[in-house]
Amino acid sequence: VDLIASVVAAPGPPTPAKRKPTKKTKKAVVFFEVEILDAKTKDKLCFLDKVGKVLPSFSLHWYPARQSIRLDPKGKSLKDEDVLQHLPVGTTATFYFRDLGAQISWVTVFLTEYAGPLLIYLMFYFRVPFIYAPKYDFTTSKHWVVHLACMCHSFHYVKRLLETLFVHRFSHGTMPLRNIFKNCTYYWGFAAWMAYYINHPLYTPPIYGEQQIRLALTVFLFCQIGNFSIHIALRNLRPPGSKTRKIPYPTKNPFTWIFLLVSCPNYTYELGSWLGFTLMTQCLPVAFFTLVGFIQMTVWAKGKHRSYLKEFRDYPTLRSPILPFIL
Amino acid sequence: MASGEEDRTVEEKETNNKKRTKGAIATAWLTFYNIAMTAGWLVLAVVMVRYYLQKGTHKGLYKNIARTLKFSQTFALLEVGHCAIGIVRTSVIVTGVQVCSRIFMVWFITNSIRQIQNEESVILFVVVWTITEITRYSFYTFNLLNHLPYFIKWARYNMFIVMYPLGVIGELLTIHAALPYVRRSGMYSLRLPNKYNVSFDYYYFLIIVMLSYIPLFPQLYFHMLRQRRRVLHGEIVVEKDE
């Protein structure tokens, strides 16, 4: 029996939609009674009699992605794959419903938040009118590092877009709608702020010149490859369409050997890339962006590390969340 | 087995004793802190009243109170620490924002832009702050001593209704008065080109600060109104303003 996150239109009669075909079985079938209460008000939203193999889907007010059904009002949400028979309920099951609010798919959010910086940076690079003084419109910088920076920045976001489309396997389908506004403000805002200074007619190239730029480019490329390797390794942990979770281990690819020391090396490499970019452009807004990103990624890495430790008894003890031995 | 259990209860008693001692030290320190702050702001009030009675004008008053004001207001940074270590149950961020905005007004506006120091708006917000802080710190003090006179509680949860908007008006008028001097002097600003490839214009920054009052002030104000409704409806006052 799949407890499909379904059910409940509060006003109006429920419209029984399609029933999934039940398998024939010779064993005695256990029927459940299911009642669903609102997690906040404890109003009875729905009562289902004789839930057997399958919970019928009702069309409703709240589409499945924004429904959170749980066993305890303050507890964690049940997953789509949870099976009614295996939950710790008696023959009368009480579930609590919470509306998660309008949802939007992760893929949509990622594509939007990454396409923005790509295009915005290019607008500054080509010095589109109304940004700088009119005499600079449609000119390009005389410093070759500015061209290099544009290529690196664009490459980075193209890589992210392609990874979103072809590499990543998402655990959750959706996130709250308001996240797209928050995330886009962050990415687009910072992209504009950085791009403004790097492509400015009065831009000052790095103090140590070619040496600095060469080192920075090496670091940047190394970390881009590293980051990509980790994404591929994580993808290969999970067969297509599944949502299984496994401990990631180093593979034949040397860039994945960092798994020995770090739980979330994708964040480690991402930090490295942006440090490279900061060094390349010698621009304080870029340093600031790197710092803020690092703080956020550390929070995420620590959370991920903690959930790895909780889920897997045999999780390697040498690993740190994001920086080997440090953080 | 029995001795094991005894050890455990002995340990528990020890941790409870440690907690009680820590609580006592914290209470003692907080009481001292709040008395000191009440005193500091009272001194400020007395100096202002005496100056006005003697001179009949507010011109030149700022020079007299500058040091006490800077001292008292900067000392309030400790309150962020109190929240951070948990001896005061308030959000670190809310306290941090409040204290930082005060520090900003004192150090980055009034102290550094000499030409506006005799403006009436400065006196307005300083008077408002003084009244508010004396009320607030004496409220905390009496609370800690478990002997809160009703009129202090009444003052704390009613005077803000008028004081808050007046204070905001004083602050905004002061920043507005400072703008032309900031623009002319280019203070705290960084121009291109420079090796950090960044620029900062204090003038536009101040305009953004003024605009930020629009979303922030109503939030704080309604928060205080909600607090007031809760407290003055007879609930136990545990110092917990979030």
Side-chain angles (χ1 to χ4, degrees):
Chain A
V1 163
D2 277 288
L3 179 68
I4 304 161
S6 58
V7 174
V8 201
T15 41
K18 48 192 163 82
R19 284 186 91 97
K20 287 215 179 131
T22 54
K23 281 190 247 164
K24 285 206 198 283
T25 169
K26 293 208 178 84
K27 284 191 242 153
V29 178
V30 177
F31 284 109
F32 291 90
E33 290 178 336
V34 171
E35 62 170 2
I36 305 204
L37 312 178
D38 183 296
K40 276 191 219 156
T41 64
K42 308 289 190 316
D43 292 340
K44 192 181 284 198
L45 297 174
C46 165
F47 185 83
L48 301 163
D49 205 1
K50 276 203 151 180
V51 177
K53 280 273 184 185
V54 155
L55 200 61
S57 289
F58 290 90
S59 74
L60 68 194
H61 225 184
W62 299 285
Y63 46 85
R66 72 188 271 181
Q67 297 174 28
S68 161
I69 307 248
R70 43 185 80 168
L71 288 171
D72 174 72
K74 299 210 179 96
K76 280 188 72 176
S77 219
L78 294 174
K79 304 192 190 58
D80 288 347
E81 310 83 58
D82 284 333
V83 172
L84 184 54
Q85 279 166 306
H86 297 158
L87 294 171
V89 294
T91 42
T92 300
T94 302
F95 295 106
Y96 294 91
F97 164 80
R98 187 163 237 144
D99 177 17
L100 295 173
Q103 298 281 301
I104 185 168
S105 85
W106 272 63
V107 174
T108 311
V109 174
F110 271 34
L111 291 178
T112 320
E113 67 188 19
Y114 297 155
L118 182 63
L119 298 171
I120 290 173
Y121 192 102
L122 289 172
M123 278 173 40
F124 284 87
Y125 175 75
F126 289 115
R127 294 189 182 153
V128 149
F130 298 107
I131 301 178
Y132 306 110
K135 68 177 173 179
Y136 296 112
D137 289 349
F138 297 119
T139 56
T140 42
S141 176
K142 59 184 180 207
H143 306 288
W144 66 275
V145 67
V146 172
H147 308 302
L148 182 63
C150 182
M151 289 191 269
C152 289
H153 188 270
S154 306
F155 170 78
H156 179 78
Y157 281 103
V158 166
K159 169 178 158 293
R160 286 215 202 179
L161 286 166
L162 293 175
E163 282 172 342
T164 305
L165 290 170
F166 301 116
V167 176
H168 294 316
R169 294 211 167 109
F170 296 100
S171 305
H172 302 281
T174 67
M175 63 167 86
L177 183 62
R178 81 186 86 90
N179 277 13
I180 195 173
F181 301 107
K182 199 167 45 107
N183 293 7
C184 285
T185 307
Y186 172 79
Y187 277 103
W188 297 17
F190 261 114
W193 194 38
M194 296 191 291
Y196 175 79
Y197 289 107
I198 300 172
N199 299 294
H200 201 283
L202 296 176
Y203 171 76
T204 310
I207 299 185
Y208 296 105
E210 219 178 285
Q211 269 186 324
Q212 185 173 337
I213 300 170
R214 202 166 289 156
L215 173 63
L217 182 62
T218 314
V219 169
F220 178 80
L221 287 176
F222 183 88
C223 292
Q224 290 288 286
I225 300 173
N227 179 265
F228 181 71
S229 307
I230 301 300
H231 287 161
I232 293 290
L234 290 173
R235 169 201 172 80
N236 290 338
L237 278 186
R238 180 179 275 181
S242 87
K243 291 188 185 170
T244 54
R245 277 198 303 280
K246 305 209 296 246
I247 304 178
Y249 283 106
T251 67
K252 293 207 187 74
N253 181 345
F255 285 96
T256 63
W257 295 352
I258 191 177
F259 268 121
L260 291 168
L261 299 175
V262 162
S263 290
C264 301
N266 48 322
Y267 295 143
T268 318
Y269 281 123
E270 184 70 16
L271 171 67
S273 299
W274 285 105
L275 283 174
F277 193 68
T278 309
L279 194 64
M280 190 192 298
T281 56
Q282 199 173 289
C283 178
L284 200 59
V286 180
F288 205 68
F289 178 67
T290 308
L291 177 66
V292 176
F294 172 57
I295 293 174
Q296 176 65 88
M297 289 191 290
T298 304
V299 170
W300 288 337
K302 287 192 158 202
K304 188 99 195 127
H305 185 78
R306 219 175 301 133
S307 64
Y308 274 146
L309 287 172
K310 251 205 300 199
E311 188 166 350
F312 302 110
R313 284 293 135 97
D314 53 340
Y315 194 75
T317 47
L318 192 59
R319 294 191 190 183
S320 313
I322 185 172
L323 294 180
F325 309 116
I326 305 175
L327 204 56
Chain B
M1 211 41 189
S3 63
E5 283 174 355
E6 272 171 23
D7 285 342
R8 235 180 298 131
T9 43
V10 167
E11 263 178 57
E12 275 174 18
K13 281 205 188 117
E14 278 180 16
T15 13
N16 279 339
N17 273 336
K18 275 197 206 130
K19 280 193 201 151
R20 238 174 279 140
T21 340
K22 277 202 194 124
I25 297 179
T27 311
W29 161 254
L30 285 175
T31 313
F32 165 75
Y33 173 80
N34 285 304
I35 293 177
M37 295 303 267
T38 314
W41 288 93
L42 270 170
V43 164
L44 201 62
V46 165
V47 169
M48 287 201 289
V49 168
R50 270 183 36 184
Y51 187 92
Y52 191 76
L53 288 177
Q54 280 179 356
K55 301 278 176 72
T57 172
H58 64 274
K59 305 254 184 260
L61 171 59
Y62 181 78
K63 279 254 147 56
N64 272 37
I65 59 168
R67 217 173 38 166
T68 320
L69 177 66
K70 282 189 272 189
F71 198 78
S72 302
Q73 191 57 79
T74 312
F75 220 68
L77 276 170
L78 283 178
E79 281 166 55
V80 184
H82 296 162
C83 299
I85 63 178
I87 57 180
V88 170
R89 279 169 56 210
T90 304
S91 149
V92 177
I93 298 179
V94 171
T95 314
V97 167
Q98 288 173 346
V99 173
C100 280
S101 75
R102 289 288 189 88
I103 302 260
F104 173 75
M105 269 317 292
V106 169
W107 288 97
F108 292 101
I109 304 282
T110 324
N111 185 56
S112 45
I113 307 170
R114 221 152 279 151
Q115 297 92 330
I116 49 111
Q117 283 169 2
N118 283 318
E119 291 281 323
E120 289 78 7
S121 52
V122 173
I123 302 303
L124 175 58
F125 78 74
V126 173
V127 166
V128 163
W129 288 5
T130 311
I131 299 175
T132 310
E133 297 301 69
I134 294 176
T135 317
R136 186 164 75 96
Y137 286 118
S138 47
F139 173 85
Y140 292 154
T141 310
F142 284 116
N143 230 9
L144 285 161
L145 298 172
N146 283 317
H147 186 92
L148 182 67
Y150 184 73
F151 83 92
I152 302 258
K153 180 159 134 183
W154 184 93
R156 159 126 168 96
Y157 285 104
N158 280 299
M159 290 181 35
F160 78 90
I161 299 178
V162 168
M163 293 287 126
Y164 241 38
L166 281 182
V168 165
I169 292 172
E171 291 167 32
L172 284 177
L173 284 176
T174 309
I175 301 177
H176 184 262
L179 286 178
Y181 302 107
V182 168
R183 180 159 231 181
R184 212 176 305 151
S185 67
M187 67 188 297
Y188 297 152
S189 300
L190 187 60
R191 284 241 154 84
L192 287 177
N194 62 72
K195 63 180 172 181
Y196 304 108
N197 288 309
V198 70
S199 63
F200 181 73
D201 194 329
Y202 194 48
Y203 177 80
Y204 289 112
F205 176 73
L206 287 180
I207 293 185
I208 294 175
V209 166
M210 286 174 70
L211 289 174
S212 71
Y213 274 73
I214 301 178
L216 292 177
F217 167 70
Q219 287 186 41
L220 291 169
Y221 196 61
F222 286 119
H223 169 74
M224 282 302 288
L225 282 173
R226 262 177 278 131
Q227 285 285 102
R228 174 180 180 273
R229 226 169 290 143
R230 237 178 21 132
V231 170
L232 296 183
H233 278 156
E235 281 172 54
I236 304 172
V237 179
V238 174
E239 193 33 63
K240 190 179 176 240
D241 66 324
E242 288 151 0

